[in-house]
Amino acid sequence: MTHDQFLWGKVSIVMKQHGEQAPPKAAERIGTIAVAGDMAGVKLWKVIACRMDMMMRSRAQ
């Protein structure tokens, strides 16, 4: 599995678990990770959130 596939898979899982609440859940996760000082985790979740936004926009069209 490539890193790209991993990221899209994570987006898919989060969206299936949380539906329309997925973006706020991702933001909450980013905040929690940032408070813990895990900047690599913040970077990862920002990429996931960006891809989530891309997926949601493409579905809306």
Side-chain angles (χ1 to χ4, degrees):
M1 174 184 296
T2 67
H3 186 65
D4 192 55
Q5 291 170 324
F6 166 78
L7 292 170
W8 282 113
K10 187 65 174 172
V11 167
S12 216
I13 290 168
V14 173
M15 289 183 68
K16 283 180 184 176
Q17 287 178 340
H18 300 289
E20 290 185 17
Q21 294 302 309
K25 288 290 184 180
E28 180 182 321
R29 183 78 176 133
I30 291 167
T32 301
I33 294 170
V35 168
D38 179 3
M39 293 303 112
V42 169
K43 181 179 176 183
L44 173 67
W45 273 90
K46 283 185 175 183
V47 172
I48 291 168
C50 181
R51 288 177 185 229
M52 189 181 309
D53 182 60
M54 290 169 51
M55 184 180 282
M56 292 177 82
R57 287 178 191 263
S58 72
R59 287 182 179 177
Q61 292 179 352

